[in-house]
Amino acid sequence: MRKFIWIALVSCIVFGICQAATIHAEGSSIFIYGIRVLTLRSSVGNFNPKARAALLAQNLEKHAHEGTVTVRKAGKNALIKVDGHLVLTVTVAEAKLNKSAPISLAATWASNIRRAFQTPPLKVATEPVRVPLGANRVILASGTQFAHADIQVTDPSILKVGRVSHGVAYKAIGYGKTEVIVSVGNIVKTVSVSVLPIAANLPQNLVAVVS
C-alpha cells in the first residue's frame, strides 16, 4: 500500500494531480481507485450520509498506509479499522437500511476496502460492445493508475470519450466500428465499440470481462 501511495504522491507533485482522486466520496458512496466500496444510508447526529461519506474518505486517505483492514464487534455495533485506526462505526440503523446486521455489513465493506487497496494499476472491462447512435455509455475501468491513464479512440468521428471516476465515458456520434484504447506505462487495454442503427443493435450479453 505504501508503494501505491508513493506513486500517487509523485504524480501529485509532477502532474499536479492530487491523491484525493484515489480515495474520494461521490454523494454517499466511497470510491477507492475508482472502485465503489460502500454506500452510507443513515444519518448520525447532524451528519447526513453524504457528509459522513466525505468524512470517511478523509479518514481513509489519512490513515491508509499498509492497507490492513480489520473488523470487530462493539456492543450492538461493529467497527472498521484501517491500519489500527477507527474509520467507521457500522450502527444497527445503518445495517437495517442495508438489510443486514452490523457485523455482517462491516465484514462486507471491510472486504471491499481490502480488495480495492489491492487493485492492480489498470483494470478495464474489455468486452466488445454495440450501441445505437447517440448513446451515452461508460466502459468500467479502475486501478491505482487509472487517473493518469491515456485515453484514445481510433476514430474520433464515431465516439467522443472522456474520463469519469469509475471508467471511460463515451458518446456515439457516428456509425461504424472503432476502438477505445486505455494505456498507462506499458499496460494497454483495448475495447471494440460498434455504433449501429437501432434496428441492428440486437440485445447483447451484459457480462463484462475485466482484465
Side-chain angles (χ1 to χ4, degrees):
M1 183 61 186
R2 286 186 189 279
K3 177 181 177 183
F4 293 157
I5 290 182
W6 173 246
I7 291 173
L9 195 56
V10 170
S11 298
C12 183
I13 296 170
V14 176
F15 301 108
I17 300 172
C18 183
Q19 189 192 346
T22 64
I23 303 177
H24 71 282
E26 285 189 16
S28 61
S29 296
I30 297 294
F31 289 80
I32 299 176
Y33 297 127
I35 301 170
R36 185 171 64 180
V37 295
L38 62 87
T39 299
L40 298 171
R41 302 182 187 281
S42 69
S43 298
V44 175
N46 294 326
F47 290 87
N48 61 24
K50 184 177 180 179
R52 292 181 61 212
L55 182 60
L56 175 55
Q58 292 175 11
N59 286 338
L60 287 169
E61 193 73 33
K62 178 180 179 181
H63 297 302
H65 299 292
E66 298 296 338
T68 301
V69 186
T70 58
V71 174
R72 74 176 181 85
K73 194 172 182 179
K76 294 182 179 181
N77 301 323
L79 309 179
I80 298 178
K81 293 187 175 183
V82 174
D83 293 337
H85 297 276
L86 176 64
V87 295
L88 180 64
T89 299
V90 181
T91 63
V92 173
E94 183 71 54
K96 283 184 177 179
L97 290 172
N98 285 274
K99 299 180 180 179
S100 183
I103 194 66
S104 298
L105 184 59
T108 297
W109 285 353
S111 177
N112 292 346
I113 294 170
R114 196 177 297 114
R115 283 198 300 269
F117 281 155
Q118 296 170 351
T119 193
L122 184 64
K123 292 176 66 177
V124 179
T126 55
E127 183 77 5
V129 294
R130 296 181 299 172
V131 296
L133 186 67
N136 291 283
R137 300 285 191 275
V138 174
I139 297 169
L140 296 179
S142 61
T144 60
Q145 292 301 295
F146 173 65
H148 318 307
D150 182 55
I151 302 172
Q152 300 286 341
V153 58
T154 56
D155 190 340
S157 68
I158 296 175
L159 292 182
K160 283 186 177 181
V161 298
R163 190 193 322 271
V164 292
S165 64
H166 57 295
V168 179
Y170 65 90
K171 181 175 182 177
I173 59 173
Y175 292 119
K177 185 176 181 179
T178 187
E179 292 183 333
V180 175
I181 302 172
V182 185
S183 62
V184 58
N186 61 354
I187 304 173
V188 180
K189 304 291 184 181
T190 302
V191 184
S192 175
V193 180
S194 298
V195 180
L196 307 171
I198 293 177
N201 190 41
L202 301 175
Q204 55 184 307
N205 194 332
L206 298 180
V207 177
V209 178
V210 178
S211 63

